[in-house]
Amino acid sequence: MATRDNTSLVDLFVARATEAAAKVERIGRAASEVRAAVARATEGLSSLVVADGDYLQSDIFSSLRTIPQVIPKPTDDQLATADAGITEAFAGVARSGSICVAMGPPLRSAASLLMPLHVALLPVERIVLRPRELFEQTGIGAEAMQRNIIFVTGPSATADMGPLVRGVHGPHRLHILVLE
Amino acid sequence: MAAPPAPAEAYDAPRAVANKRDKSALLRAIRMALGIESDAIRRNTQTFNRNRYREAAALPDYEALKDEARAIKERAIGHLPDLLMTLETAIRARGGNFYLASTAADACRYILGVCQSHGAKLVVKGKSITSEEIRLNHTLEGAGIEVAESDLAEFILQVADEQPSHNVAPAMHYSTERISALFKRKFSTSEPLDTGEELTKFARGRLRQKFLKADVGFTGANLVAADTGTVMLVESEGNIRMSSLLPPVHISLAGVEKVIPAQSQMGVFLELLPLSFNGKLTSYISFLRPPLDDPPFALTGRPRKKREFHLVLIDNGRMKLRQDPVLQESLYCIRCSACMNCCANFQTVGGHAFGGETYCGGIGGAWEAGTGTLENARFSDLCTGCSRCVNNCPVRIDIPWLNEVLRDRLNRSSAGSPLASLLGIVSFVRGDDRRASAQKVFFANYHWYAKWGARTRAFANGVIRYGPARRLMESLVGVDVRREIPPFPAHPLVRAARNLPPLARAGKRAKVVLFPDVYTNYGLPQRGIATIKVLRALGVDVVVSDAIPEGRAALSQGMIATAKKHARHTADALLPYLDQGRDIIVIEPSALAMFRRDYRHLLADAARFDLLRTRTFDPVEYIARLSAKSGRPARDLFDLARSPVGSRLFVHSHCQQKTLGCAQPTEALLREIGFDVATSSVECCGMAGSFGYKKEYYEMSMAVGEDLFGQVRAAEAPDAGGARALVASGTSCTEQFHAGLGRPVLHPIELLAAILKL
């Protein structure tokens, strides 16, 4: 149900997230299509971690686990050295180009933080216009109030050493797949 | 020929001049900052500043958000004791620990106790300026616990043993070259340490190991919600996420003022706080209700422990600050750093000079006084009261007023001197205000010297150009000999105005009273004459009031009792004109700002303040309104072809004009007439009233001015079309232009008077 407004919201999200140095792709949500997109995004990497989702259909995640590089049940030592983490995004914020990651399910926090690449799956209907909507008492805000959430805007970055450097302690690259 | 730059060893170490109880430390810190830190500070603060302006302008409800944030903070500080109880219940209900520490030592003892109870050997730490306030690292390291600062800026400071120079980007005084030299000196490694990428990679590699092995993760907190115990953590590097996620124990430290009533209110600050720093959301902003459900991280061979969370809130003077009728406002601060980034003085010297042992910038004085002693706030003398921070503060703190009050208290707590008493008595300074330094007493009463200077013009103009007399003035009252004092005019404005022909035409028309502020009256009366000429040509009935001090000079020296007296007398003198239906015109912007802003604090009667505030205008602002009201376009009133200086202008608006919103109408009117207008983007010229005249601040004032002079040079480059006439409304700005560029300066009203069509 891509209304005219919804389309411009998604366009704004894509533009802002791209400005924030995330890579953004819009794809369909058939499990096979998502799997192919993730495989492309992680091509050449040797170890991947997949965290379960809350909102997307579970066959997407079971299909992702069939990518050969995915570590089925990673130990903490493997989490510390894996190349990429794949998680669902709780929400997207168009005006700031942010995604929100809700903590809780196993591996979600680690997979969105410890690896050099974070691939986030964002259901298109969960994009809102502005950050504060996540704090409203209704709609997506009411859900967010119950969770530990992190607003993620682009990859980790610092200017402490002089020039802007992307990739500090957190992921060096953020790849957002908007699922339509 | 310029002297070669001094080597770094020629300057004091930042730590050695962090405490500025003694003013000589402030002066040494300024010298150090101008010598080795200024370039990096200017580059960084001005980048933050530009980014904030750009994004704030794009946010349609920016002003409404600020009102909302202010209201939340007022309520939070007003109900703080209740909120702390609610918060404690919320934290404990989730299985967390809550500790309210009364002093810095108390907080350190508690945190050390938690670390020791876990046999901690390594604490990994996210950036927390509050932990600098309580010297936490000192306590932990003293007990044999390794502290790994994981924010890269704090990592640099830990390696260099320096205090923060900014509360969001604490090592922004370091250039890549200086970090490279520091790391090469301190670390023996084969890794390359030259570029920003290489330095980041090196620090990341070292710190990754610390995250994985830390026993305790320590973070600050940007806000805490009382109803749910939610902690807001703002960062860009990911180190705070790691510190709060990976180790089994998480300790979060914050001042009690960080508590707000409800989690639902955090959305306002999510939008305002990062915006007010650098324009955009930082990479990671976490809203956590610890202890987290995720199991703590445990590499092979390390025990898998249960999660534990401690929220440590500290008072350390804040509850007392809450009772302070003026400084209470500082507790609304959300530490976004906007007041630092938009401050011309801060942009030039940063927080090592414009700051104390922990807190810096315009808001830093109140914080150092509140968490330490009044004398620690002495560095707030670097606040010139230019007011640029006022509109940029997301919680609308009147920072210049806080600093004027701090200055007043410092004046009153000092011993005074016979010279200051003498100067004070002859110039009718109020009793306790005479305890200020002779320099402050002198500058606070400039009107008195100006009046006598004008009366004894031939003699006085000789004195201010006579070297030995100026050297004596410098040694007695600290007026720098390198500064020219503008000569006293043959006829002050009030006298000169009597000789002007009155308006011939009668009838119903706009009526004003021109207030001859001391700077215009005794310094630049031609600006007043031009104002009268233009207004009368536009059919306005103009009279001139008596010349009395409006109080700006006294206020800027922190002599509030005297400033209040001046404000009262000025209101008494002008209110009858308002009763006659006259609006008030004030030419000098810093005097205008008294009527529009500062009298809020100085006049006991709010209704009188409101009358003055709403009916006082800058002359060009008033003309723009007249033109709009009458429907006569500016081109019908003024003729560009008559301009004595051509059509190309460089317009520098006064800092107070920008805050009051009179800069834009002036620039717009000049453009409408057809001028090609280049404008300065500096926040302040660096003269800022008496600041640049003071012997101890001369170099700093000129360094601030260099930014403005550079913009003029850029706007006049051959490929930018060449020379432009300088236009400025402020008396100080005019003097600063004379000093830096040695060129004539016109007030826009003088230009308008020259091109009148009528």
Side-chain angles (χ1 to χ4, degrees):
Chain A
M1 48 158 237
T3 62
R4 197 186 166 77
D5 278 344
N6 197 16
T7 309
S8 62
L9 197 64
V10 181
D11 288 343
L12 182 65
F13 172 81
V14 173
R16 292 289 162 84
T18 307
E19 278 170 36
K23 183 169 180 187
V24 191
E25 274 182 85
R26 297 170 72 162
I27 60 169
R29 64 179 69 188
S32 57
E33 195 174 341
V34 177
R35 186 188 182 280
V38 170
R40 270 198 313 278
T42 56
E43 204 177 340
L45 303 180
S46 54
S47 55
L48 314 179
V49 175
V50 176
D52 274 331
D54 294 314
Y55 300 97
L56 290 165
Q57 63 271 29
S58 58
D59 65 323
I60 290 181
F61 296 92
S62 40
S63 157
L64 288 176
R65 290 210 171 76
T66 64
I67 298 175
Q69 295 91 326
V70 171
I71 310 167
K73 282 206 168 74
T75 63
D76 283 358
D77 298 69
Q78 287 172 311
L79 287 177
T81 54
D83 296 322
I86 297 121
T87 75
E88 185 184 79
F90 173 84
V93 183
R95 195 183 266 176
S96 59
S98 315
I99 55 163
C100 292
V101 174
M103 298 171 77
L107 301 178
R108 173 99 41 88
S109 306
S112 66
L113 178 63
L114 293 180
M115 293 109 209
L117 170 65
H118 175 205
V119 180
L121 312 180
L122 172 63
V124 72
E125 67 278 8
R126 299 187 69 84
I127 298 177
V128 297
L129 178 61
R130 54 192 293 176
R132 67 181 298 180
E133 288 178 48
L134 274 291
F135 291 84
E136 281 164 10
Q137 314 276 9
T138 54
I140 206 164
E143 290 172 51
M145 292 293 225
Q146 309 304 318
R147 308 290 296 266
N148 291 312
I149 59 170
I150 296 157
F151 286 74
V152 176
T153 313
S156 69
T158 189
D160 288 340
M161 299 295 180
L164 176 68
V165 177
R166 297 194 203 279
V168 196
H169 304 300
H172 304 199
R173 291 189 293 139
L174 173 64
H175 194 142
I176 304 168
L177 299 174
V178 179
L179 273 49
E180 316 229 30
Chain B
M1 200 180 82
E9 301 76 57
Y11 299 102
D12 288 279
R15 275 271 191 233
V17 288
N19 188 303
K20 298 176 180 67
R21 212 167 290 161
D22 172 2
K23 194 168 178 185
S24 76
L26 171 60
L27 304 183
R28 284 185 287 137
I30 292 173
R31 187 172 166 273
M32 180 277 296
L34 289 177
I36 52 185
E37 296 182 347
S38 191
D39 290 347
I41 291 165
R42 185 168 276 168
R43 192 170 52 245
N44 286 317
T45 51
Q46 292 187 351
T47 303
F48 302 148
N49 200 34
R50 269 195 307 277
N51 292 347
R52 186 196 63 255
Y53 278 132
R54 190 189 57 240
E55 297 300 322
L59 193 61
D61 57 350
Y62 178 52
E63 297 300 324
L65 271 173
K66 291 198 286 187
D67 288 335
E68 230 180 306
R70 168 83 186 194
I72 293 168
K73 286 296 296 188
E74 280 182 6
R75 205 179 146 67
I77 299 303
H79 295 79
L80 193 50
D82 292 342
L83 291 186
L84 293 175
M85 289 202 298
T86 308
L87 175 60
E88 176 166 9
T89 308
I91 297 281
R92 292 199 193 283
R94 288 188 52 85
N97 300 279
F98 176 91
Y99 187 72
L100 183 58
S102 55
T103 62
D106 186 14
C108 285
R109 197 163 44 235
Y110 179 84
I111 294 167
L112 177 61
V114 172
C115 293
Q116 286 175 332
S117 74
H118 288 273
K121 293 186 187 65
L122 173 63
V123 175
V124 69
K125 202 159 161 272
K127 179 176 67 207
S128 156
I129 304 294
T130 309
S131 79
E132 304 262 0
E133 173 191 325
I134 66 170
R135 309 285 180 269
L136 178 63
N137 291 11
H138 182 77
T139 298
L140 296 179
E141 286 165 352
I145 297 170
E146 182 187 350
V147 178
E149 289 286 0
S150 61
D151 174 84
L152 295 196
E154 289 286 353
F155 178 71
I156 296 166
L157 296 184
Q158 191 178 30
V159 173
D161 186 28
E162 291 180 15
Q163 77 275 21
S165 65
H166 185 274
N167 68 0
V168 181
M172 57 100 210
H173 57 285
Y174 264 98
S175 62
T176 305
E177 295 69 32
R178 288 188 63 220
I179 301 166
S180 169
L182 173 74
F183 281 18
K184 285 175 182 170
R185 205 164 62 240
K186 298 277 185 173
F187 298 107
S188 75
T189 171
S190 56
E191 289 184 56
L193 295 174
D194 293 304
T195 66
E197 290 274 355
E198 289 165 0
L199 292 162
T200 302
K201 184 161 177 266
F202 170 75
R204 174 205 302 146
R206 280 182 72 88
L207 290 165
R208 180 52 81 104
Q209 295 315 308
K210 307 286 181 192
F211 285 121
L212 298 176
K213 292 180 183 147
D215 306 295
V216 173
F218 175 94
T219 69
N222 292 84
L223 283 176
V224 185
D227 60 345
T228 54
T230 303
V231 175
M232 175 185 186
L233 295 162
V234 182
E235 57 157 338
S236 277
E237 297 177 358
N239 62 311
I240 291 180
R241 289 180 69 188
M242 293 209 182
S243 300
S244 56
L245 175 71
L246 300 180
V249 182
H250 175 199
I251 304 172
S252 176
L253 169 75
V256 287
E257 82 287 356
K258 295 292 182 65
V259 180
I260 60 169
Q263 184 184 359
S264 59
Q265 295 166 325
M266 284 177 152
V268 177
F269 297 95
L270 169 63
E271 295 197 352
L272 262 186
L273 172 57
L275 171 106
S276 302
F277 165 50
N278 194 23
K280 300 209 161 169
L281 294 202
T282 56
S283 301
Y284 304 122
I285 303 178
S286 304
F287 295 87
L288 307 180
R289 265 181 286 175
L292 302 175
D293 304 322
D294 305 60
F297 210 70
L299 294 178
T300 310
R302 289 179 63 86
R304 198 170 275 285
K305 291 188 173 171
K306 206 171 142 272
R307 270 202 188 275
E308 199 174 295
F309 173 65
H310 297 260
L311 179 65
V312 181
L313 296 185
I314 64 163
D315 173 351
N316 203 31
R318 289 163 175 81
M319 291 313 242
K320 198 167 152 224
L321 202 53
R322 188 173 161 265
Q323 306 296 332
D324 187 304
V326 177
L327 302 187
Q328 180 204 61
E329 245 198 319
S330 62
L331 294 173
Y332 304 159
C333 175
I334 56 171
R335 299 200 187 159
C336 67
S337 79
C339 61
M340 299 164 201
N341 303 329
C342 71
C343 171
N345 275 359
F346 192 92
Q347 288 175 356
T348 305
V349 297
H352 281 167
F354 195 163
E357 288 172 291
T358 308
Y359 297 103
C360 58
I363 193 68
W367 274 97
E368 283 284 330
T371 59
T373 67
L374 176 63
E375 286 67 31
N376 287 1
R378 210 172 285 285
F379 65 86
S380 59
D381 211 32
L382 297 190
C383 169
T384 64
C386 84
S387 79
R388 292 304 303 129
C389 50
V390 170
N391 296 348
N392 289 311
C393 174
V395 286
R396 301 195 189 281
I397 301 174
D398 192 344
I399 294 168
W401 174 239
L402 302 188
N403 287 324
E404 280 140 9
V405 168
L406 283 168
R407 206 165 297 163
D408 184 70
R409 293 181 188 176
L410 283 163
N411 288 345
R412 284 159 191 273
S413 72
S414 63
S417 68
L419 178 62
S421 296
L422 179 69
L423 291 177
I425 289 167
V426 299
S427 55
F428 307 104
V429 168
R430 294 292 295 245
D432 273 2
D433 283 352
R434 284 180 225 142
R435 298 172 73 143
S437 67
Q439 185 188 46
K440 284 197 162 70
V441 175
F442 172 81
F443 279 113
N445 293 284
Y446 174 67
H447 67 279
W448 191 85
Y449 305 94
K451 185 166 83 182
W452 283 99
R455 285 184 189 172
T456 62
R457 180 169 166 262
F459 170 73
N461 282 346
V463 167
I464 59 175
R465 280 194 300 265
Y466 180 55
R470 288 295 304 272
R471 281 194 288 281
L472 185 68
M473 261 177 93
E474 182 177 275
S475 67
L476 290 178
V477 293
V479 180
D480 197 285
V481 291
R482 289 163 289 186
R483 284 287 183 190
E484 255 182 62
I485 297 177
F488 298 103
H491 300 291
L493 173 60
V494 173
R495 272 231 340 257
R498 286 194 206 121
N499 303 329
L500 292 179
L503 185 65
R505 282 177 292 151
K508 189 170 155 44
R509 55 188 190 240
K511 295 194 292 185
V512 301
V513 54
L514 173 61
F515 174 74
D517 61 85
V518 58
Y519 316 96
T520 305
N521 190 43
Y522 297 115
L524 298 162
Q526 63 275 21
R527 296 181 167 187
I529 302 296
T531 302
I532 296 169
K533 190 177 156 198
V534 176
L535 287 174
R536 285 189 178 158
L538 297 180
V540 180
D541 173 348
V542 187
V543 295
V544 180
S545 78
D546 285 341
I548 46 176
E550 80 295 319
R552 165 62 65 196
L555 179 65
S556 73
Q557 306 306 316
M559 296 160 77
I560 292 176
T562 303
K564 281 185 171 165
K565 182 184 76 174
H566 291 161
R568 200 170 57 244
H569 290 174
T570 305
D572 287 345
L574 292 180
L575 286 168
Y577 289 105
L578 294 182
D579 291 341
Q580 294 168 17
R582 292 182 185 277
D583 290 321
I584 303 167
I585 304 292
V586 181
I587 296 171
E588 163 54 34
S590 64
L592 175 68
M594 292 295 284
F595 293 82
R596 297 249 283 245
R597 257 184 39 76
D598 302 273
Y599 279 3
R600 177 192 310 279
H601 306 296
L602 302 177
L603 291 175
D605 182 350
R608 294 177 99 196
F609 165 62
D610 262 344
L611 266 176
L612 289 169
R613 177 176 67 85
T614 51
R615 293 187 52 193
T616 306
F617 301 93
D618 167 272
V620 181
E621 177 192 32
Y622 192 77
I623 289 161
R625 285 165 64 107
L626 276 183
S627 156
K629 227 187 205 165
S630 66
R632 294 175 71 183
R635 275 176 193 265
D636 286 2
L637 308 174
F638 304 101
D639 180 6
L640 177 65
R642 299 184 193 189
S643 167
V645 293
S647 65
R648 288 169 51 80
L649 308 179
F650 184 93
V651 178
H652 167 66
S653 292
H654 186 276
C655 42
Q656 303 277 7
Q657 271 185 312
K658 293 183 195 183
T659 300
L660 298 175
C662 333
Q664 196 276 334
T666 303
E667 294 163 11
L669 185 79
L670 293 171
R671 287 200 173 104
E672 202 188 320
I673 294 168
F675 284 104
D676 168 359
V677 179
T679 56
S680 77
S681 68
V682 300
E683 299 288 358
C684 173
C685 68
M687 180 67 105
S690 64
F691 184 80
Y693 282 100
K694 290 181 174 172
K695 184 179 69 175
E696 65 273 33
Y697 301 137
Y698 172 81
E699 282 84 9
M700 182 172 158
S701 164
M702 290 306 284
V704 176
E706 196 43 53
D707 219 9
L708 174 60
F709 311 146
Q711 292 192 357
V712 174
R713 285 190 284 266
E716 294 188 327
D719 57 353
R724 291 175 179 272
L726 299 179
V727 176
S729 304
T731 315
S732 302
C733 321
T734 302
E735 292 306 318
Q736 184 75 323
F737 267 138
H738 286 162
L741 299 172
R743 285 168 46 184
V745 179
L746 285 174
H747 188 290
I749 196 73
E750 292 175 277
L751 191 54
L752 293 182
I755 61 169
L756 263 175
K757 255 187 184 173
L758 308 153

